[in-house]
Amino acid sequence: MFNQFGSTADTLSKASAAVLRIGTDAHLYDDPEDVSIAPLLDSKFESEKCEALKRLLALIAQGFDVSNFFPQVVKNVASQSSKVKKLVYLYLLHYAEKRPNEALLSINYFQKDLGDPNPLVRAWALRTMAGIRLHVIAPLALAAVGKCARDPAVYVRKCAANALPKLHDLRLEEHAPAIEELVGILLNDHSPGVVGAAAAAFTSICPNNFGVIGKNYKKLCQILPDVEEWGQILLIGTLLRYVVARHGLVRESLMLSSHGLESNSFYEKEGLVSDKGDGDKSDSLDANLVRLVSKCYIEGPDEYLSRSNCVDMEPSSFDTKETTSVGDNEDVKILLQCTSPLLWSNNSAVVLAAAGVQWIMAPLEDVKKIVKPLLFLLRSSTASKYVVLCNILVFAKAVPSLFAPHFEDFFICSSDAYQVKAHKLEMLSLIATTSSISSILREFEDYIKDPDRRFAADTVAAIGLCAKRLPEIPTACLNGLLALVRQESFAGDLELVDGEAGVLVQAVLSIQTIIELAPLSHEKVIIQLFRSLDSVKVAAARATIIWMIGVYCSLGHIIPKMLTTITKYLAWSFKSEASETKLQILNTAAKVLISAEVDDFQMLKRIVLYVLELGECDLNYDVRDRTRFLKKMLSYKLACHEPAEDSVASQENIAPIAEHVVEHVFGRKLKPFSPLALHSRFYLPGSLSQIVLHAAPGYEPLPKPCSFVFEEHDQLLDSNRQREARDNFSGSQESSETVDEDGSSEYDSESYNGSEFSSDGDERNEANDANDPLIQFSEISVSTDQEELRSKRALDLWLDEESSTSNQTPSALDRNQSSYAKISIGDIGNSVKPKTYTLLDPGNGSGLKIDYTFLSEVSTVSPLHVCVEVMFENCSKEPIVEVNLEDEEAMKVSDSAEQTLVGKANASYNNLPTLIPMEEISCLEPGQSAKRHIQVRFHHHLLPMRLSLHYNGKKVPVKLRPDLGYLVKPFPIPIEEFLATESRLPGMFEYSRRCTFTDHVRDTRMENGKDKFLSICESITLKVLSNSNLHLVSVDLPVANTLEDATGLRLRFSSKILSSEIPLLITITVEGKCNEDLNLTVKINCEETVFGLNLLNRIANFMVEQN
């Protein structure tokens, strides 16, 4: 082509490809290392940084390891260019797990980007934080997701929903309730895109938490048509599971139609019986199969495996309480109405999901509406067509009349794949009726001539199934099949033709299927097959015909007279037969001998003995084994001279068990074929399990009917409480924030203040106040404008805008003040008992026991060191000498993650040793103990320090684990400064967690007449100070509280992080009665988000622990 110009097809194609690559980044994949990447990453031009990052991503795509560029890439996360940020985030997602310490360097930038005005940047930051699978930053990522779940931008909220499954995969059991609350919040979103992503999160996180769905059920049904297609699939399945779990199955549906079938009037309705009234068997509903399908949809794998019989012919007992009616149930009506339009969706999977809902829940007369949408899907791609056919087959087996009028839609197209052709043939054999069978058989005649002989063989098998289902057509089918056998028999050596042998075998098998229906009326057909043995050369076909000889050897009057001739022929051809044919010859010879008449017995016995002798000398060991087995079983027959009187008399001398076995093996009748035996397990429509015919990973059956009880009165009580709280706020201007009716929870950063109740009601008795010296009126008051400042929502928090209170007048602010009483609990320092940890137990230390306790003392070496008291005890019977603790990594330089925590202010302490050497213990006698004080500088607040224990000349590695509560120091501040600092740390720097406190219930001092509030405050304070090094700022109680109500009791603690001198404020708010378990809300305000979240979890955990 164009040779005169020196061009070829190859060069032209290359030139065309080069033109298409102009203006793209495809050249990066040709030689991504053709330039030096490191200088580009350090360039001051954003375009060069983008070029370098693109080359790194191209190398990653080609399988190269470019993790050595991690530090240079991380520092570019602070770039102002959105293109650079996006590329950096992609790189971080790939290598964060391999370089966790360096990944921590970018956390602060992620937090900053979460407040960026650009929603794309916020979404990228959240997606990257959730994608970094590190348990250290999981609490921070969870707080970010809670923040983004209320972002004004839809795309950010959608990314928050997509991030929840990633956090759930980290197995954060302590955060599971918070994650589920966020799922409920996102399911209540007004955006369809967010709801679709939330449905995916719900499916993977808490698929059985139907309480979340119950609160938003109607809203989810209304928004379902607007959700993106793949979200619709998951949401449809979730709504279906909820309706079944709450209301049960529908009494008028197909699933329950087989229960009380005689009284079911829906059988007579249009669409479920033939319009012509011919009463076709194919038009009736298969009750047994429907019962089995409904059982499989609900039972799990364990129940299925425990079933002793795969086909339970007894009707399953359904309690009427576990069923519902469409006319009486509004939820079922809404579900059916919102899924009906989706039957015509452009997405095949959505159509299947909607059809599954109609199939399971719709009334019997409305099931037919799924037919045309499913048939329309048969015009889609080959893969979709195959999946749709797999599901249509189940529908057609249960109710063939649904698809019987549309048999032409299942005719084969030349472009269909083989699997699609096979399913269509099965469909045609299922839905064939007397009115359509003539057209179907004409199609089958053309299919038999198809060049694909495997497909032609399947067509022949389908003809046999049609003849079996419709008793009116066997004669026509038999004539055609016999003609096909004769045609194939004289076609030459079929073994050499690919697939031709299969056609002949299927023809013989189809004839056998038809003969089984009425053997006496087809005696001549059997004789024709006997006579065609000489021309049939295919081993499988010959074996089938020979098997029929043995089964029908005593049928009619003609066949028994032919047995001698046929047996002689079989004995003559035995040597040249295939192994499978030889086995059938042996079986047939045994059957013929057992049913032989008196006149032919001696001749048949000699022939059988000859066949058995040939079998004993055969080269195939299966044939030899079968011969020996039959010879032993027929020994009493072979020894007889007469088949009648003599054999009866001789049976007294043989074991009666042998004759019984022979009669059982060779004399039993064939059992009728049951299609249920082949398909004893069905799966939900549209599921992968229905395609692969086994429970695929992640498959969940429908829940047990009425297994979920939705407490509607609880929801009403919640709504009433919320309404009362709003009324009280407008009347007495209380600062209160509760859970929204639409599902928003206390977890999010905007509602962390929701448990800080300050209520005004009836004042306490003045006499009681005067007699109680523990309670004093405090001048401290929290006004509504301060509460609004903390609870400012949406974009103000994201953009760090200054909140304004100009819309409130001074008089209104005066009315919004709530008085508190300050509780003085005195000095409880002597009662504080720090927690003791085990460093080495006697079993591993050869009798040496080492415990350690963190001290509240401040280190004299540096603010980074923590004071630890170590207790050594000799539990052995031998003295222990030269006991000492040393740091394994004393000479190593602190890593970058540590220096990030330390900061510039403490850079001068970096050269100090990690462990200040302790005074060596020269000798510990048996039973003797000793104490030593050490000062430790931890590399990270979650990572243990590796120490070496030396004693008796041995060296044992031990790990000293940090306690977050002692990595802070007390920070005494007045209450006014505490509130001012707290108000400056909203949003991402404020997070809370709820827990239960029970120590005060077991406090005996309350029974001795001590003030209940004082006892509660002392119990909480002792618990906190025994596990952390904090300063108690104040203990406040709203004046309006009754003597038994501790709600609103608030304890404030302050501290500073040792490593960074950053203030950390803790507020504990109490809810509940004094004599009952209390609900505590622990809130932390701190700029070090990772440290603060981990400390929050630590406090919540030890508050739950019992003393």
Side-chain angles (χ1 to χ4, degrees):
M1 182 179 180
F2 304 111
N3 291 330
Q4 63 274 28
F5 301 105
S7 301
T8 62
D10 187 28
T11 56
L12 288 175
S13 62
K14 291 181 179 179
S16 177
V19 171
L20 294 175
R21 289 155 60 94
I22 295 176
T24 67
D25 294 325
H27 65 281
L28 298 176
Y29 291 89
D30 296 335
D31 189 8
E33 291 183 311
D34 58 351
V35 297
S36 181
I37 296 177
L40 294 178
L41 291 173
D42 297 330
S43 174
K44 61 181 180 179
F45 300 106
E46 302 294 344
S47 59
E48 294 183 355
K49 292 180 180 179
C50 284
E51 180 73 12
L53 290 169
K54 288 179 180 179
R55 292 183 180 276
L56 286 178
L57 295 177
L59 289 170
I60 292 174
Q62 296 179 17
F64 293 97
D65 183 10
V66 291
S67 59
N68 55 310
F69 293 99
F70 201 96
Q72 293 175 280
V73 174
V74 167
K75 68 180 182 181
N76 284 308
V77 76
S79 174
Q80 299 300 319
S81 171
S82 60
K83 293 183 178 180
V84 174
K85 279 182 179 293
K86 186 175 183 179
L87 296 173
V88 171
Y89 286 157
L90 292 175
Y91 181 91
L92 288 177
L93 281 174
H94 191 78
Y95 284 113
E97 293 185 18
K98 296 181 180 179
R99 307 289 290 269
N101 292 332
E102 287 86 348
L104 292 175
L105 298 173
S106 57
I107 297 300
N108 291 333
Y109 293 105
F110 292 153
Q111 296 178 20
K112 182 180 178 182
D113 288 344
L114 286 173
D116 194 278
N118 188 349
L120 290 178
V121 176
R122 300 200 297 269
W124 294 341
L126 177 65
R127 185 170 57 184
T128 307
M129 287 183 65
I132 298 176
R133 307 299 180 89
L134 299 178
H135 284 79
V136 178
I137 66 170
L140 175 61
L142 184 58
V145 172
K147 185 75 177 176
C148 293
R150 295 161 183 82
D151 191 274
V154 174
Y155 182 67
V156 179
R157 300 200 301 273
K158 183 177 179 181
C159 287
N162 291 330
L164 287 175
K166 301 176 183 178
L167 295 178
H168 177 71
D169 290 342
L170 293 177
R171 301 293 186 264
L172 304 174
E173 287 79 6
E174 67 273 13
H175 298 303
I179 294 176
E180 293 186 12
E181 286 182 5
L182 288 175
V183 173
I185 293 171
L186 292 168
L187 281 173
N188 193 42
D189 199 276
H190 64 274
S191 171
V194 178
V195 172
F202 176 86
T203 305
S204 61
I205 295 173
C206 50
N208 296 319
N209 187 3
F210 297 115
V212 176
I213 303 298
K215 297 176 182 178
N216 310 302
Y217 175 76
K218 291 185 178 179
K219 183 176 181 180
L220 292 175
C221 290
Q222 294 171 357
I223 205 172
L224 176 61
D226 299 324
V227 176
E228 60 182 352
E229 294 174 342
W230 297 112
Q232 285 176 343
I233 302 169
L234 298 173
L235 192 55
I236 289 173
T238 300
L239 295 175
L240 173 62
R241 289 170 55 80
Y242 166 77
V243 171
V244 173
R246 183 180 176 188
H247 304 291
L249 297 176
V250 178
R251 286 190 292 271
E252 303 92 343
S253 68
L254 178 70
M255 296 296 103
L256 298 183
S257 60
S258 59
H259 303 271
L261 202 58
E262 294 78 11
S263 61
N264 197 329
S265 61
F266 294 105
Y267 259 128
E268 307 299 330
K269 294 198 174 183
E270 184 181 358
L272 293 177
V273 295
S274 176
D275 294 335
K276 297 183 179 181
D278 53 3
D280 291 340
K281 178 182 177 181
S282 61
D283 287 339
S284 64
L285 185 144
D286 192 337
N288 292 332
L289 185 60
V290 171
R291 189 181 302 115
L292 179 62
V293 169
S294 60
K295 179 185 292 186
C296 290
Y297 284 170
I298 296 176
E299 69 179 1
D302 296 336
E303 296 171 306
Y304 166 66
L305 295 175
S306 64
R307 276 195 285 155
S308 58
N309 188 4
C310 64
V311 183
D312 185 8
M313 303 307 294
E314 295 296 329
S316 302
S317 59
F318 273 87
D319 191 353
T320 54
K321 296 180 180 179
E322 298 179 355
T323 61
T324 185
S325 175
V326 176
D328 302 333
N329 195 303
E330 193 66 25
D331 286 349
V332 177
K333 273 185 181 179
I334 296 174
L335 178 62
L336 294 176
Q337 290 173 0
C338 71
T339 54
S340 294
L342 299 181
L343 290 172
W344 296 103
S345 172
N346 293 328
N347 191 302
S348 302
V350 176
V351 176
L352 273 180
V357 173
Q358 302 290 330
W359 170 256
I360 295 173
M361 302 299 292
L364 200 55
E365 70 273 16
D366 292 338
V367 176
K368 61 184 180 181
K369 67 171 62 174
I370 71 174
V371 175
K372 290 186 178 180
L374 292 176
L375 294 178
F376 184 79
L377 294 182
L378 295 180
R379 300 179 177 89
S380 57
S381 64
T382 302
S384 300
K385 193 183 303 184
Y386 174 75
V387 174
V388 173
L389 280 171
C390 289
N391 289 273
I392 290 179
L393 275 174
V394 179
F395 303 155
K397 288 175 183 176
V399 189
S401 61
L402 284 177
F403 298 92
H406 309 280
F407 65 92
E408 293 181 351
D409 291 279
F410 298 99
F411 284 168
I412 310 299
C413 300
S414 58
S415 59
D416 288 340
Y418 169 75
Q419 292 79 5
V420 175
K421 292 180 179 178
H423 280 346
K424 284 188 174 182
L425 285 176
E426 187 175 357
M427 276 295 303
L428 289 173
S429 63
L430 283 172
I431 64 177
T433 62
T434 52
S435 58
S436 63
I437 188 62
S438 57
S439 301
I440 293 175
L441 288 179
R442 282 196 297 271
E443 281 288 318
F444 284 172
E445 290 178 4
D446 293 334
Y447 300 161
I448 293 175
K449 302 173 185 176
D450 194 275
D452 185 358
R453 304 313 295 166
R454 183 173 58 160
F455 168 58
D458 292 342
T459 304
V460 175
I463 293 175
L465 293 177
C466 292
K468 184 178 181 179
R469 289 185 62 256
L470 302 174
E472 297 86 355
I473 64 166
T475 303
C477 292
L478 275 176
N479 293 334
L481 291 172
L482 287 173
L484 183 62
V485 170
R486 288 192 295 269
Q487 176 185 348
E488 297 290 337
S489 300
F490 294 103
D493 191 358
L494 298 180
E495 297 290 348
L496 300 178
V497 182
D498 186 21
E500 285 294 343
V503 176
L504 179 58
V505 171
Q506 286 296 341
V508 175
L509 290 175
S510 297
I511 294 173
Q512 170 203 330
T513 302
I514 298 173
I515 292 174
E516 288 176 358
L517 300 176
L520 284 175
S521 60
H522 296 105
E523 182 180 4
K524 294 183 179 179
V525 178
I526 300 174
I527 294 173
Q528 289 186 42
L529 289 177
F530 293 170
R531 290 176 176 175
S532 64
L533 264 178
D534 196 32
S535 59
V536 175
K537 304 299 182 182
V538 179
R542 290 178 62 85
T544 304
I545 296 174
I546 294 171
W547 174 86
M548 295 172 64
I549 294 173
V551 173
Y552 303 114
C553 60
S554 59
L555 182 69
H557 301 286
I558 303 176
I559 294 178
K561 297 178 180 179
M562 300 173 58
L563 290 180
T564 304
T565 304
I566 296 175
T567 309
K568 287 181 180 179
Y569 171 77
L570 296 178
W572 170 76
S573 63
F574 185 87
K575 294 181 181 180
S576 59
E577 297 287 354
S579 297
E580 57 180 321
T581 308
K582 290 179 181 179
L583 293 174
Q584 290 301 329
I585 291 176
L586 290 171
N587 294 340
T588 300
K591 295 176 183 178
V592 168
L593 183 63
I594 292 172
S595 61
E597 297 180 354
V598 178
D599 298 337
D600 302 328
F601 181 76
Q602 293 299 329
M603 177 62 70
L604 289 174
K605 186 179 75 171
R606 288 196 295 271
I607 297 173
V608 170
L609 284 172
Y610 175 72
V611 171
L612 292 177
E613 290 177 0
L614 292 175
E616 286 180 335
C617 303
D618 197 83
L619 297 177
N620 189 286
Y621 60 86
D622 287 333
V623 176
R624 295 197 301 271
D625 291 345
R626 179 73 60 86
T627 302
R628 297 188 187 98
F629 171 72
L630 293 176
K631 195 170 185 179
K632 287 291 184 181
M633 291 187 65
L634 300 175
S635 58
Y636 76 100
K637 282 284 186 181
L638 297 175
C640 295
H641 297 283
E642 296 294 336
E645 294 82 2
D646 293 347
S647 63
V648 173
S650 63
Q651 287 177 6
E652 298 176 356
N653 300 326
I654 64 174
I657 299 178
E659 182 180 5
H660 177 73
V661 171
V662 170
E663 291 296 331
H664 181 75
V665 173
F666 297 109
R668 61 180 178 173
K669 296 181 180 180
L670 295 175
K671 291 185 178 180
F673 172 77
S674 174
L676 296 182
L678 296 179
H679 303 284
S680 59
R681 184 67 171 141
F682 297 92
Y683 299 89
L684 290 175
S687 63
L688 174 63
S689 301
Q690 183 58 45
I691 308 301
V692 298
L693 296 180
H694 65 80
Y699 173 78
E700 286 288 339
L702 291 177
K704 299 298 180 183
C706 298
S707 59
F708 169 67
V709 180
F710 183 67
E711 300 292 345
E712 295 187 3
H713 65 275
D714 290 345
Q715 188 181 20
L716 293 176
L717 290 177
D718 291 340
S719 302
N720 292 336
R721 285 196 297 268
Q722 296 165 19
R723 206 173 296 111
E724 291 174 2
R726 288 193 296 269
D727 295 340
N728 293 336
F729 179 82
S730 60
S732 60
Q733 295 299 325
E734 295 176 348
S735 176
S736 173
E737 186 174 343
T738 57
V739 181
D740 297 334
E741 287 184 10
D742 58 3
S744 59
S745 72
E746 299 170 352
Y747 178 80
D748 56 287
S749 57
E750 288 87 8
S751 62
Y752 284 148
N753 299 313
S755 59
E756 300 179 8
F757 296 100
S758 57
S759 58
D760 289 335
D762 297 334
E763 293 187 357
R764 285 179 161 189
N765 192 314
E766 295 181 1
N768 293 337
D769 295 343
N771 295 331
D772 193 351
L774 297 173
I775 302 178
Q776 310 168 15
F777 279 105
S778 173
E779 297 179 357
I780 301 171
S781 62
V782 182
S783 60
T784 304
D785 61 330
Q786 292 173 328
E787 293 291 344
E788 288 183 356
L789 181 63
R790 290 184 220 147
S791 60
K792 187 71 175 173
R793 289 182 177 272
L795 199 57
D796 291 344
L797 281 177
W798 285 107
L799 303 181
D800 294 330
E801 293 180 357
E802 292 293 330
S803 58
S804 175
T805 58
S806 59
N807 55 347
Q808 290 187 322
T809 62
S811 59
L813 294 178
D814 293 337
R815 292 194 302 268
N816 291 338
Q817 293 185 352
S818 304
S819 298
Y820 278 83
K822 177 184 290 185
I823 298 180
S824 301
I825 60 177
D827 186 12
I828 60 173
N830 297 329
S831 302
V832 174
K833 298 179 181 179
K835 187 174 181 180
T836 301
Y837 302 91
T838 299
L839 185 65
L840 183 69
D841 60 83
N844 296 327
S846 303
L848 179 60
K849 179 182 179 183
I850 304 179
D851 296 331
Y852 65 96
T853 301
F854 288 92
L855 303 178
S856 58
E857 302 174 4
V858 179
S859 172
T860 58
V861 179
S862 78
L864 305 180
H865 284 73
V866 181
C867 296
V868 183
E869 183 180 67
V870 186
M871 288 76 73
F872 299 86
E873 182 180 357
N874 186 0
C875 300
S876 66
K877 298 181 180 180
E878 301 291 336
I880 300 176
V881 298
E882 299 178 352
V883 182
N884 195 8
L885 280 174
E886 294 181 357
D887 181 18
E888 282 188 353
E889 302 178 353
M891 304 304 295
K892 293 185 178 180
V893 181
S894 299
D895 58 6
S896 57
E898 175 200 352
Q899 296 188 17
T900 303
L901 294 174
V902 172
K904 296 180 180 179
N906 298 315
S908 59
Y909 301 106
N910 290 347
N911 296 325
L912 293 175
T914 305
L915 175 67
I916 304 299
M918 60 169 277
E919 181 183 353
E920 183 182 281
I921 302 176
S922 58
C923 181
L924 273 178
E925 297 296 334
Q928 184 182 1
S929 60
K931 294 184 179 180
R932 292 290 187 271
H933 285 190
I934 62 175
Q935 298 184 42
V936 183
R937 179 162 62 97
F938 290 98
H939 295 325
H940 193 275
H941 63 267
L942 295 179
L943 302 179
M945 174 176 289
R946 297 180 180 179
L947 304 177
S948 296
L949 172 64
H950 299 269
Y951 69 96
N952 290 342
K954 300 179 182 178
K955 178 182 177 182
V956 179
V958 293
K959 290 183 179 181
L960 184 69
R961 302 186 180 277
D963 189 335
L964 288 174
Y966 291 90
L967 297 182
V968 296
K969 63 180 180 181
F971 178 42
I973 55 174
I975 184 62
E976 293 81 4
E977 186 178 348
F978 184 100
L979 294 176
T981 306
E982 184 184 39
S983 65
R984 291 195 299 269
L985 296 172
M988 286 298 297
F989 305 124
E990 178 180 304
Y991 19 86
S992 69
R993 184 176 171 186
R994 296 176 65 87
C995 61
T996 304
F997 185 73
T998 59
D999 287 2
H1000 68 289
V1001 178
R1002 292 177 294 277
D1003 193 346
T1004 57
R1005 295 175 299 174
M1006 293 181 62
E1007 301 176 358
N1008 298 331
K1010 188 171 182 179
D1011 184 83
K1012 297 178 181 180
F1013 294 104
L1014 181 60
S1015 178
I1016 292 174
C1017 293
E1018 288 185 355
S1019 299
I1020 295 176
T1021 305
L1022 284 174
K1023 196 65 172 285
V1024 173
L1025 297 183
S1026 296
N1027 291 271
S1028 55
N1029 192 15
L1030 305 174
H1031 171 73
L1032 177 62
V1033 177
S1034 68
V1035 181
D1036 300 328
L1037 176 69
V1039 176
N1041 280 32
T1042 63
L1043 293 177
E1044 296 296 332
D1045 188 9
T1047 300
L1049 180 63
R1050 185 174 303 167
L1051 296 87
R1052 294 183 174 92
F1053 301 87
S1054 61
S1055 63
K1056 281 188 176 181
I1057 301 176
L1058 290 179
S1059 61
S1060 58
E1061 294 290 326
I1062 293 177
L1064 186 144
L1065 308 180
I1066 301 174
T1067 304
I1068 299 179
T1069 307
V1070 181
E1071 295 179 33
K1073 302 294 183 181
C1074 294
N1075 296 325
E1076 301 175 357
D1077 294 349
L1078 298 175
N1079 293 322
L1080 303 185
T1081 300
V1082 184
K1083 183 186 69 173
I1084 288 184
N1085 294 81
C1086 181
E1087 293 180 5
E1088 282 286 349
T1089 313
V1090 177
F1091 185 91
L1093 282 169
N1094 288 310
L1095 180 59
L1096 174 65
N1097 294 329
R1098 173 78 179 102
I1099 295 174
N1101 290 335
F1102 69 64
M1103 294 300 290
V1104 176
E1105 296 175 359
Q1106 298 181 0
N1107 290 330

